Amino acid sequence: MMFDSSIVTTIFAEFSPLAPMIVMIIGALVMPAVFFATKRKSAVAAVMIAVIAISMLFNVLMMVDGYQADYAGLFAYDAFAGVMILLFQIVAFFTALVSVSSSETTRMHYGAFNALLLAATTGMMFVATASDLITIFLGIELASITSYVLVAMKRSDPRAAEAAVKYVIFGGLSTALTLYGLSMLYGVAGTTNIEDIAIALSTQDFSWAFGIAMITMIAGFGFKIAAVPFHAWAPDVYEGAATPVTMFLGTGSKKVGFVALFKIFLVIFVAASSTAAFATEELQYIFAIIAAITMTVGNVVAISQNNIKRMLAYSSIAQAGYILIVMAVMSEYALASGMFHMFTHVFMKGGAFLIVGALITVGIGEKISDYQGLAKRAPFIAFAMTLFLFSLAGIPPLAGFTSKLFLFSSAIYDGGVMTQWVWLAFVAVLNSAISLYYYTRVVKAMYIEKGANAERIKIPKTFTAAIVTCVVFVIILGLFPQLIMDFCADAAAVLFG
C-alpha cells in the first residue's frame, strides 16, 4: 500500500495557521515519555530544543513568505502573529537551554517541567494568533495555569511555595476581572469576534456596561503585565521561582498581556475611534497615567532592593510602564516601537536573569553584595551584566537605547507633528535616568568593591552560550535596529490596516 502524500498536504493546508503551535503541543505530550525512557536531563533538553527549533523554523518561513491565513474564525496568522510568536519561541528556547544546567531545576521532574514550559509557550502563541475574545482568554489561561505550576516546582525552597500561592491568588483575581470584562463586551457588541466588535461599537452610544467592561479588562490585563497598582505579585514570584522560570515569566509571560491589550484595545478602539462609545482620547489618558505611575513606582522602589532578583522584578515593572506608552499614543509607529522594545527587553533583561541563574548554579547568592569582586572572578560575566544593565538604562549605542529612542519619540512626534504626550516622554526619560542609579550599584559591586572570595568561577556551557547570544543581540540590535524593526513595522500595519 503506497503512502498518499496528498493527505499530509491537505492536513497541513487545513491547519497551517496553527502549524507552529501544533509542533509545540506534540512536544509537550512526548516530553514526560522521553524523560521516563531516558532518565536523563540532557536527552530531554535535546528533544525540547529540537521541538522549539522546528516550531521556530515553521514560523520564520511563514513570516518571510508573508503567509496569511485564518482558521475557523478563531485564529489568524499574519505578520503581527508571526513576530509575537517568534518572541515567545526565543524566550522558550533560552529557558530550555539553561534549565538543563541550572541547580534550581535539579529536584524538579524534568519531563513535566519541559512539558509545562511548552504548554505555557503554546498558550502565548495562541494569544498572538487569536482573532476572537474566547481564544484570547483560553490562550491567556493556558499560559497562566502552567506558569503557576512552574513557579511551585522549586520544591526545595519554601519561598517558591509562598510565591506560587500568591501568584494563584492574584492570577485568579485577574482571570475573574478579565472574564467579566470580556463577557460585558460580548453583551454590548453581541459577538466575540474582535473585528466584528469594532464594527458594532462604531454605531453605538456610551453605556455603563461598556464602561464596566473597559475598567475590568484594564484591571485584569494590568495584573498580567504587572502594571501599578496591580503589580504586588511580581517581586515575590520573581524571587521565589527558579531563575530560568523567572526569566521565562519576566521576558515572555508578561508580554502576553500586552499582546491581548494590543489586539483588543487597538483594533477595537482605533478602528472605531471616530464614533466609538468610549472616546479614544479619554482611554489614552487612562493608559498614560497608568504608564507614568508604573514606570515611576518600579524605578523608585527598585532603588531600595538588596536582592538582585527583586531589583530586576521592579525594573521589569518599570519596563512595563515604558511599553504602556504604546497604549497612550495609539499610533502605528508607537506600536512598532513598542514591539521592538519588547524584543530588546528579551535579550537585555533575559540576559541579566541568565547571569543571575548561572551564578546561583555555581554557588553565588542573590544579594547584590554577593556580586562584590565578580569582575576578577568571572570577567566576561561581569562585562555581560554591565552591558545588559546599561542597555536597560538606555545607554547608547546598545539595544535598549535604540528601542527607547523609538518608543519615547513616538510620544513626542506623530507624522512630524508634536503630540500631546510630550510630558509622558519626559517622565519616561527621567525614569530612565533614575534606573541608572540602581543599575550602577551592581556594576560598582562587581568592579570596585572587593569580595571575600577571589577564586575563579566556571560557568556552565549552556549558560555561557545563552549569555553570549544575548550580548551579541544587545549590540547588534542597538547598531542595526532595522533587522527587527522592519518586521515590527509590518506587524503594526496589520492592526492599523
Side-chain angles (χ1 to χ4, degrees):
M1 181 177 179
M2 296 183 63
F3 176 73
D4 188 358
S5 61
S6 63
I7 297 176
V8 177
T9 304
T10 302
I11 293 175
F12 182 79
E14 177 70 20
F15 295 100
S16 55
L18 304 178
M21 286 77 85
I22 292 174
V23 173
M24 302 288 270
I25 293 171
I26 294 173
L29 293 175
V30 303
M31 280 300 145
V34 174
F35 180 76
F36 279 118
T38 63
K39 300 295 183 181
R40 294 172 54 199
K41 290 178 68 175
S42 57
V44 178
V47 175
M48 174 78 169
I49 291 173
V51 168
I52 298 173
I54 294 171
S55 177
M56 191 179 295
L57 178 62
F58 272 116
N59 185 50
V60 170
L61 291 176
M62 292 160 73
M63 286 176 59
V64 173
D65 191 48
Y67 179 81
Q68 296 185 32
D70 176 85
Y71 179 77
L74 298 174
F75 299 96
Y77 186 95
D78 49 35
F80 178 85
V83 170
M84 288 294 95
I85 286 174
L86 180 61
L87 184 148
F88 298 140
Q89 290 170 329
I90 292 172
V91 173
F93 180 85
F94 281 137
T95 306
L97 180 63
V98 301
S99 62
V100 68
S101 302
S102 175
S103 62
E104 298 174 273
T105 62
T106 301
R107 295 189 179 183
M108 296 181 182
H109 187 294
Y110 200 61
F113 173 84
N114 283 280
L116 290 167
L117 182 62
L118 286 175
T121 307
T122 303
M124 301 175 193
M125 295 162 68
F126 277 145
V127 175
T129 56
S131 56
D132 191 278
L133 297 182
I134 295 175
T135 46
I136 285 181
F137 178 76
L138 292 177
I140 289 176
E141 287 311 294
L142 176 58
S144 298
I145 293 172
T146 48
S147 296
Y148 304 152
V149 183
L150 285 170
V151 171
M153 288 187 77
K154 190 182 176 185
R155 293 175 291 179
S156 59
D157 191 343
R159 294 180 304 173
E162 179 185 353
V165 171
K166 291 181 179 179
Y167 198 12
V168 169
I169 292 172
F170 281 107
L173 179 59
S174 167
T175 297
L177 289 170
T178 302
L179 185 58
Y180 187 72
L182 295 177
S183 65
M184 294 293 285
L185 188 59
Y186 167 71
V188 172
T191 178
T192 57
N193 182 273
I194 295 176
E195 292 186 357
D196 291 342
I197 291 174
I199 296 172
L201 292 179
S202 66
T203 61
Q204 297 184 20
D205 295 325
F206 177 82
S207 67
W208 283 108
F210 183 82
I212 293 172
M214 293 303 95
I215 294 171
T216 52
M217 282 196 296
I218 290 174
F221 291 130
F223 277 109
K224 299 299 182 186
I225 65 176
V228 176
F230 316 109
H231 68 291
W233 61 272
D236 291 333
V237 172
Y238 281 30
E239 181 183 7
T243 308
V245 175
T246 300
M247 186 200 72
F248 180 76
L249 296 177
T251 58
S253 185
K254 281 179 60 176
K255 304 298 190 298
V256 175
F258 282 110
V259 172
L261 280 173
F262 295 160
K263 278 183 167 287
I264 295 176
F265 284 89
L266 293 182
V267 171
I268 291 176
F269 299 103
V270 172
S273 60
S274 59
T275 56
F278 189 92
T280 303
E281 186 173 347
E282 296 174 7
L283 186 69
Q284 288 175 285
Y285 271 106
I286 291 174
F287 280 116
I289 293 170
I290 295 175
I293 295 175
T294 298
M295 65 179 76
T296 302
V297 170
N299 283 315
V300 171
V301 179
I303 294 174
S304 62
Q305 302 304 310
N306 294 316
N307 182 292
I308 194 161
K309 289 175 75 173
R310 292 184 71 87
M311 186 203 78
L312 291 174
Y314 280 106
S315 169
S316 291
I317 292 170
Q319 296 293 328
Y322 299 144
I323 300 173
L324 277 172
I325 291 176
V326 175
M327 301 306 301
V329 178
M330 285 192 178
S331 70
E332 186 175 325
Y333 178 67
L335 177 57
S337 301
M339 294 174 68
F340 179 60
H341 187 70
M342 289 164 68
F343 262 95
T344 62
H345 185 253
V346 167
F347 296 110
M348 52 192 183
K349 180 59 64 66
F353 275 123
L354 287 171
I355 289 176
V356 173
L359 294 177
I360 290 174
T361 297
V362 297
I364 304 295
E366 298 177 12
K367 293 183 178 180
I368 295 176
S369 58
D370 294 327
Y371 284 47
Q372 292 175 347
L374 184 64
K376 292 184 178 180
R377 302 184 65 188
F380 171 73
I381 294 299
F383 165 76
M385 179 62 97
T386 302
L387 199 73
F388 297 143
L389 295 179
F390 281 174
S391 182
L392 285 166
I395 301 299
L398 302 175
F401 167 78
T402 307
S403 60
K404 283 185 176 181
L405 179 63
F406 291 160
L407 185 57
F408 297 172
S409 64
S410 71
I412 300 175
Y413 289 102
D414 183 14
V417 179
M418 186 169 291
T419 72
Q420 58 187 324
W421 308 112
V422 175
W423 66 270
L424 184 57
F426 176 78
V427 172
V429 171
L430 181 62
N431 271 279
S432 291
I434 294 173
S435 69
L436 185 59
Y437 172 77
Y438 60 82
Y439 290 140
T440 53
R441 286 180 57 207
V442 182
V443 178
K444 177 186 175 185
M446 293 189 299
Y447 281 93
I448 298 178
E449 298 173 359
K450 294 183 179 180
N453 191 343
E455 184 180 353
R456 294 296 289 262
I457 298 172
K458 185 176 180 181
I459 303 297
K461 293 181 180 179
T462 56
F463 275 102
T464 302
I467 292 168
V468 168
T469 303
C470 289
V471 167
V472 170
F473 275 96
V474 164
I475 295 173
I476 289 179
L477 293 181
L479 298 174
F480 307 101
Q482 297 306 320
L483 293 175
I484 296 293
M485 188 61 179
D486 287 343
F487 286 105
C488 294
D490 293 338
V494 171
L495 296 191
F496 281 85

